[in-house]
Amino acid sequence: MDECCGPPQDPTRYTEIFDARFARKIAKRYARAGLTPAEHAIVDAVDTVGVRGRTVLEVGGGIGEIQLALLEHGAASTTNLELSSEYELVATELIDRAGVAERVTRLLGIDLAERADSVAEADIVILHRVVCCYPDYERLLGRAADHARRLLVFSHPPRTPATRLGVAFGNAMLRLRGRSYRGFVHPPEEMARVVAGRGLHPRRSAPTRSWHLVTAPRG
């Protein structure tokens, strides 16, 4: 299976998977049930360090439901980096409904791993369901850690035989369909090593069966 390196970067690889239909599906689930257990765990982790008055950068935040929760908890502002343009309509509707447009910035087409200088640092940096979508976890997590003044939080799937087999099967189906997107199950110990090498202190937990969480404060 693909472990760290996929096919060459294709600007459509994320849009063709995370499309408008996917965005609407996420929005419907959010409207019905609110945050998922993993998203609740991320918000709780940020609250433990303190979010009031802090700036938040979320990489691949989709429709922005975690950001909305953190703004409600007192975050000063949030910035969302997204490589798929298909979330924007739903995200804008949610932002307007919450009345927080002046505190939210959404940036399209900026790959943090490749264009780190284009993005300002933030007190808190979040990557939920993102590292498993990106081939070069070392570069991505290194850039994310460098941008986190106080806290980095990221999630990843458990590296179990069942998960690796499922991702390998999914990648095979994508390959047959001519899609360039690939999923990854990166080694947790190595991801923690990258973060620790940037001066953060990673702590791992498993709030759900599907997602493990790394909380890495600075100092």
Side-chain angles (χ1 to χ4, degrees):
M1 71 175 283
D2 298 297
E3 289 292 345
C4 67
C5 300
Q9 287 285 3
D10 176 350
T12 67
R13 70 190 305 179
Y14 296 106
T15 301
E16 65 186 12
I17 299 298
F18 305 109
D19 57 11
R21 181 180 178 183
F22 182 83
R24 290 193 299 269
K25 178 182 177 182
I26 295 297
K28 287 180 181 178
R29 181 212 51 75
Y30 176 61
R32 182 181 67 252
L35 297 180
T36 66
E39 291 165 348
H40 273 297
I42 290 171
V43 172
D44 289 344
V46 173
D47 275 337
T48 298
V49 173
V51 69
R52 185 164 297 278
R54 305 296 182 184
T55 57
V56 177
L57 169 65
E58 185 172 8
V59 180
I63 65 172
E65 61 268 49
I66 292 176
Q67 296 163 53
L68 292 176
L70 293 176
L71 288 168
E72 186 176 344
H73 288 209
S77 64
T78 66
T79 299
N80 184 84
L81 299 187
E82 191 57 64
L83 294 179
S84 171
S85 61
E86 299 300 310
Y87 293 107
E88 295 311 296
L89 179 60
V90 172
T92 299
E93 290 174 354
L94 291 175
I95 290 166
D96 290 344
R97 193 176 305 153
V100 293
E102 73 284 355
R103 297 162 63 195
V104 177
T105 300
R106 293 186 63 88
L107 302 177
L108 280 175
I110 296 179
D111 184 337
L112 182 64
E114 300 296 333
R115 297 174 57 192
D117 292 344
S118 301
V119 184
E121 294 180 355
D123 297 313
I124 298 154
V125 177
I126 299 169
L127 301 91
H128 178 42
R129 304 187 304 181
V130 169
V131 179
C132 58
C133 298
Y134 201 86
D136 190 347
Y137 70 88
E138 293 184 84
R139 189 174 182 84
L140 177 61
L141 286 177
R143 300 299 193 198
D146 288 344
H147 276 67
R149 289 192 290 256
R150 292 177 59 87
L151 178 69
L152 171 67
V153 182
F154 68 92
S155 65
H156 63 85
R159 192 175 165 88
T160 63
T163 302
R164 297 174 71 183
L165 181 62
V167 170
F169 178 79
N171 286 343
M173 294 299 100
L174 289 167
R175 190 178 293 111
L176 287 174
R177 295 168 61 189
R179 300 292 181 87
S180 60
Y181 173 84
R182 299 290 183 269
F184 304 91
V185 187
H186 299 303
E189 296 80 7
E190 290 303 306
M191 290 190 286
R193 178 189 59 78
V194 171
V195 170
R198 302 299 178 120
L200 303 180
H201 302 280
R203 298 191 294 265
R204 287 185 285 172
S205 61
T208 72
R209 181 180 298 179
S210 300
W211 295 104
H212 289 188
L213 196 65
V214 177
T215 305
R218 188 176 296 281

